[in-house]
């Protein structure tokens, strides 16, 4: 752990917009003098469409100090993907929990070596297989994400918050993503979530800063 | 199928270099008047570091007509990732076989809709689970990739070519990736591979075009 996430819970804004122009407009609507409880995530589609190298400078220009997560969802060449993310200036990198064990190991090791936090995303995994994969490989990442995908959410897959308790001890912190709203974040917090990851509920709001404030009120 | 891959087998050059400058140098070493047996793949690290939007124009500048594959390894928001790839001008998009079924379905459907080929990568899957996932969802992609990851290869995982025969009928064409060399491609072809995906063995060669020619001689 990078000693940056020492005061949970946190609110994480996941930017899943694929276009950097749209992202610039969104960032302009958020206070640059932001709460220390707010983390920022470059979503996978944004990374793939625009490139980490090009996205990080735009974010850092407005938020020089914010904790910035690179949601790579890495499946192969773990070390390489950490390396170029770090070079661009992120604080944390996310590997997919679906990746081969060798990849997750290399990824977490590279994060330690480069001094950034290692996150593992459980999206699409069977939670027992996922826990077993972490346990047998001796991997203890800084953060695990309990995650219902957008496609899964839209097709009616239920929220897996009951898994939060199961995963305690497998990582320093537990993050929850997928379908969180002002109405259900308390449930996630009560179940032990340390980081609430919210995307569309914030950036599709008419006033994203107001929405951020409403979510922050839940955790402060 | 887009009617572009009607004369297999093919050789596919996978560009896993993360830096666009290096890629430009590599492309300069390859004949722009290339064989129609040669396909080009934007590797996942390149996509993530530089962005599809920025990589495609560089490739299209030198190879306006080449069959170009976007190796997204998508795990979520299948439709969105196809959409921005197509907008940039690719011929095919790759979803991860590890993705939730809902994502793979959306991805393949979006490819059909946008008129590009749908590829599914089996990297990291249990092959029987993977086949079952395709079968039960009624998904028949244009191409499936039998793939040993670089991290897996380096940690000693054996080549899964014996799976080529198993997967016949699950897609129009079967591609094989991971550790292919001049010494073992015949084995892959004999087992029924339609597309040979080669990365480092070509782009780390002193003369990449010579190496391409040597591989092409195996399939012509």
């Amino acid at each position: 752990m990078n000693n940056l996430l020492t005061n949970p819970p946190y609110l994480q804004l996941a930017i899943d917009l694929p276009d950097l122009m749209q992202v610039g407009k969104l960032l302009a609507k958020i206070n640059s003098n932001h709460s220390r409880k707010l983390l920022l995530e470059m979503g996978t589609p944004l990374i793939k469409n625009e490139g980490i190298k090009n996205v990080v400078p735009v974010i850092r220009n407005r938020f020089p100090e914010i904790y910035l997560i690179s949601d790579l969802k890495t499946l192969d060449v773990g070390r390489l993907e950490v390396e170029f993310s770090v070079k661009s200036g992120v604080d944390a990198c996310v590997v997919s929990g679906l990746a081969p064990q060798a990849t997750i190991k290399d990824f977490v090791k590279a994060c330690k070596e480069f001094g950034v936090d290692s996150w593992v995303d459980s999206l699409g995994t069977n939670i027992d297989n996922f826990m077993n994969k972490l346990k047998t490989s001796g991997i203890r990442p800084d953060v695990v994400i309990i995650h219902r995908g957008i496609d899964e959410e839209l097709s009616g897959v239920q929220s897996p918050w009951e898994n939060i308790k199961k995963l305690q001890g497998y990582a320093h912190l537990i993050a929850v993503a997928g379908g969180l709203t002002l109405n259900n974040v308390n449930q996630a917090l009560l179940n032990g979530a340390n980081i609430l990851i919210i995307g569309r509920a914030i950036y599709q709001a008419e006033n994203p800063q107001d929405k951020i404030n409403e979510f922050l009120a839940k955790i402060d």
Side-chain angles (χ1 to χ4, degrees), chain A:
Chain A
M1 183 61 78
N2 218 352
N3 289 323
L4 293 170
L5 300 182
T6 51
N7 188 27
Y10 292 97
L11 173 66
Q12 176 170 330
L13 170 56
I15 308 177
D16 279 327
L17 299 161
D19 187 82
L20 197 49
M21 288 279 281
Q22 285 176 283
V23 172
K25 282 179 194 164
L26 170 64
L27 296 182
K29 291 180 191 162
I30 301 172
N31 290 345
S32 59
N33 184 16
H34 58 89
S35 161
R36 298 181 74 96
K37 286 285 193 181
L38 182 67
L39 319 178
L40 212 57
E41 172 198 319
M42 288 183 285
T44 317
L46 174 61
I47 287 175
K48 288 177 181 170
N49 191 38
E50 298 282 1
I52 289 175
K53 197 191 247 184
N54 309 302
V55 174
V56 174
V58 171
I59 293 177
R60 283 291 180 221
N61 184 46
R62 185 153 177 91
F63 299 101
E65 304 283 328
I66 207 163
Y67 184 94
L68 182 59
I69 300 124
S70 175
D71 185 13
L72 294 156
K73 286 196 182 65
T74 298
L75 287 173
D76 195 15
V77 286
R79 187 185 172 81
L80 178 65
E81 297 206 348
V82 172
E83 201 171 351
F84 61 67
S85 294
V86 169
K87 204 183 270 181
S88 290
V90 306
D91 298 296
C93 295
V94 186
V95 65
S96 169
L98 293 163
Q101 212 166 34
T103 299
I104 301 181
K105 267 183 121 155
D106 279 3
F107 191 97
V108 171
K109 203 177 139 197
C111 284
K112 277 201 183 23
E113 217 176 297
F114 290 117
V116 296
D117 287 342
S118 58
W119 292 43
V120 184
D121 186 346
S122 69
L123 172 75
T125 61
N126 168 298
I127 205 72
D128 295 311
N129 293 349
F130 176 66
M131 285 166 40
N132 194 47
K133 200 186 249 180
L134 293 181
K135 196 189 260 176
T136 59
S137 60
I139 300 166
R140 190 160 185 265
D142 295 308
V143 180
V144 293
I145 307 173
I146 297 174
H147 191 172
R148 182 175 55 160
I150 293 176
D151 291 334
E152 286 184 306
E153 189 187 330
L154 297 175
S155 70
V157 171
Q158 290 302 300
S159 175
W161 301 334
E162 55 275 18
N163 292 326
I164 299 174
K165 279 183 184 146
K166 268 189 163 180
L167 273 162
Q168 300 288 349
Y170 282 77
H172 293 283
L173 299 174
I174 311 274
V176 176
L180 291 178
T181 66
L182 284 167
N183 294 325
N184 63 20
V185 289
N186 280 340
Q187 210 180 328
L189 291 167
L190 282 170
N191 280 286
N194 305 117
I195 302 171
L196 305 172
I197 305 181
I198 323 263
R200 295 158 295 158
I202 291 175
Y203 64 71
Q204 291 181 351
E206 206 165 317
N207 188 325
Q209 184 61 51
D210 284 354
K211 195 57 81 177
I212 287 172
N213 294 343
E214 289 173 54
F215 276 107
L216 284 174
K218 298 276 185 186
I219 63 170
D220 259 346

